[in-house]
Amino acid sequence: MRILVAGGAGYIGSSLIPKLLERGYDVDVVDLFWFGNYLPKAVKIVNRDIFDLHENDLAEYDQVVFLAGLSNDPMAEFSPSKNFVFNAAAPAYLCYIAKRAKVRRYIYASSCSVYGYTENELFDEDRPVSSAYPYGISKLQGERAVMQLADANFSVIALRKGTVSGYSPRMRFDLIVNTMFKSAMKDGLIRVNNPAIWRPILSIEDACMAYIRAIEASESISGIFNIASGNHTVGEVADLVRNTIEQELRTKLALEIDHIKDIRNYKVSIERARNVLSFHPHHNIRSITCNLIENMAKCGNWNNPNYYNIQVFKKLENQGETKPVSVGGVGR
Ligand SMILES: NC(=O)c1ccc[n+]([C@@H]2O[C@H](COP(=O)([O-])OP(=O)(O)OC[C@H]3O[C@@H](n4cnc5c(N)ncnc54)[C@H](O)[C@@H]3O)[C@@H](O)[C@H]2O)c1
């Protein structure tokens, strides 16, 4: 099976793609390489913007996976106009040309952030969504655009992922568990802005498994699926990260708690993914933290701007370079 992964050089793709190669898939990546290239050499690289692809470019693929776009709130808020183009128009355009090229399945990287602010109830995929901020709105727009292209000959699967954490060759320290881990290691302190808010947390290993389950699902399956390893309050996440590090590294960490209001609060049911995709998470906050401890030596300088999407994105935007950059750049 030939698979094209758009945005495959990012945090999730850099972890997913070696696993796809291991399962015998033929994988190509189209990416702008904003954060460099940490992919195995066996992957064919297409250093292009999604918008420069045409129907003919997709004819040889069985499946297309969308992992591109601006992948967090700070990037979306820094450039709301670009956010709507990269997060809503790009997945819609790619899905449209994939369908015309007779690709059999399109998998879209959606996000639980489409749920916005909910009161403390477990949300399934049939519940109304109401995001009020650029990232969440654009992820929902992308999702709606691609889902309405699904039909009997073209499967579309949207994975509404919780906040992903854990080690990836293209590392990010701007994701909840990773951020807490970084500040614990760097400053001996974990900061919590709002201990009460709920978040679905997703280990990167479970995230990759969700993509594999979607790729390998019966072709008759289309739909939207919540994907998470577990739902936690941010206060509980901090306690679990702190306890794990203290036990594993025999150290003492401080905890700093603020009560800053947050406009996002959600927890999700993953029953549909369990029942339809056979997605069963195997990880939790403790195993994510252990995975970060095991791989810590590979991370080097905690302050490397490449670990923080907003820092790289601001620089690229200021230089007018959110278009293709050299593949030979950072990381290779
Ligand atoms: N990381 C998370 O916690 C999380 C949670 C839910 C959903 N998601 C979604 O999953 C996807 C992947 O997340 P990630 O953390 O790996 O992101 P990332 O920021 O690490 O990587 C995104 C990649 O997409 C590329 N890209 C962006 N726009 C492009 C375009 N127009 N053409 C070609 N390449 C382009 C970038 O160069 C980068 O390599 C994103 O769509 C994100 O919104 C992520």
Side-chain angles (χ1 to χ4, degrees):
M1 191 198 288
R2 288 206 73 181
I3 304 173
L4 178 69
V5 185
Y11 171 69
I12 296 170
S14 300
S15 195
L16 170 65
I17 283 158
K19 293 179 169 56
L20 295 180
L21 295 176
E22 203 181 279
R23 290 170 94 85
Y25 297 119
D26 201 349
V27 185
D28 295 350
V29 165
V30 58
D31 202 294
L32 292 171
F33 297 95
W34 288 340
F35 311 102
N37 181 3
Y38 302 83
L39 293 168
K41 297 267 190 280
V43 176
K44 184 177 148 208
I45 298 298
V46 184
N47 189 9
R48 281 162 83 182
D49 191 335
I50 285 169
F51 291 107
D52 296 331
L53 295 176
H54 301 286
E55 189 183 320
N56 289 349
D57 297 310
L58 302 188
E60 62 198 274
Y61 298 105
D62 301 294
Q63 299 202 11
V64 172
V65 179
F66 178 92
L67 291 178
L70 310 193
S71 52
N72 67 10
D73 288 296
M75 294 167 93
E77 269 145 38
F78 181 72
S79 181
S81 59
K82 209 149 254 170
N83 168 67
F84 284 100
V85 174
F86 280 73
N87 282 2
Y93 173 66
L94 188 65
C95 191
Y96 167 72
I97 56 172
K99 184 170 179 174
R100 286 182 63 92
K102 303 213 170 358
V103 168
R104 297 206 304 272
R105 167 167 284 151
Y106 186 87
I107 302 174
Y108 169 67
S110 193
S111 165
C112 289
S113 54
V114 300
Y115 290 111
Y117 192 91
T118 67
E119 281 308 329
N120 291 326
E121 272 181 86
L122 207 56
F123 268 52
D124 66 23
E125 297 84 349
D126 294 329
R127 294 291 290 261
V129 285
S130 66
S131 229
Y133 47 94
Y135 180 70
I137 299 167
S138 66
K139 294 304 286 184
L140 184 60
Q141 285 186 313
E143 184 185 281
R144 289 195 168 146
V146 303
M147 288 316 303
Q148 51 104 28
L149 290 171
D151 64 24
N153 300 312
F154 185 59
S155 157
V156 184
I157 292 180
L159 300 178
R160 281 185 185 166
K161 299 183 298 297
T163 303
V164 186
S165 283
Y167 173 78
S168 166
R170 189 265 122 164
M171 194 50 186
R172 288 181 62 178
F173 280 115
D174 55 1
L175 297 159
I176 178 167
V177 179
N178 295 6
T179 304
M180 290 180 180
F181 178 78
K182 186 257 322 193
S183 62
M185 290 298 118
K186 186 169 161 282
D187 306 322
L189 167 75
I190 294 180
R191 275 187 206 90
V192 177
N193 286 334
N194 186 336
I197 50 169
W198 284 86
R199 284 285 189 285
I201 305 293
L202 177 59
S203 98
I204 190 142
E205 297 295 321
D206 287 336
C208 292
M209 199 39 76
Y211 280 92
I212 289 168
R213 293 285 172 256
I215 287 167
E216 296 177 356
S218 154
E219 274 186 19
S220 60
I221 292 172
S222 285
I224 299 170
F225 299 91
N226 290 335
I227 301 290
S229 303
N231 295 295
H232 301 270
T233 63
V234 173
E236 189 194 16
V237 175
D239 286 336
L240 291 167
V241 173
R242 184 187 187 202
N243 292 345
T244 307
I245 297 173
E246 287 189 340
Q247 279 169 16
E248 295 292 319
L249 299 180
R250 295 180 195 287
T251 183
K252 275 274 159 218
L253 296 172
L255 190 62
E256 194 179 282
I257 296 179
D258 282 321
H259 290 272
I260 300 168
K261 207 169 157 37
D262 199 306
I263 51 164
R264 295 170 310 152
N265 183 48
Y266 39 83
K267 51 183 172 179
V268 300
S269 158
I270 61 160
E271 275 317 291
R272 185 184 289 174
R274 277 188 211 277
N275 294 334
V276 180
L277 297 179
S278 189
F279 166 74
H280 295 90
H282 291 286
H283 291 273
N284 54 37
I285 307 288
R286 183 173 173 82
S287 68
I288 295 171
T289 310
C290 288
N291 164 268
L292 290 168
I293 292 172
E294 277 160 32
N295 289 288
M296 180 163 56
K298 296 179 197 154
C299 297
N301 176 8
W302 301 115
N303 294 327
N304 182 343
N306 213 38
Y307 295 149
Y308 308 93
N309 278 20
I310 187 62
Q311 292 192 27
V312 174
F313 188 67
K314 271 187 184 169
K315 196 167 157 220
L316 290 171
E317 276 286 86
N318 291 337
Q319 294 166 348
E321 281 179 9
T322 38
K323 282 283 183 182
V325 293
S326 162
V327 187
V330 203
R332 256 272 153 99

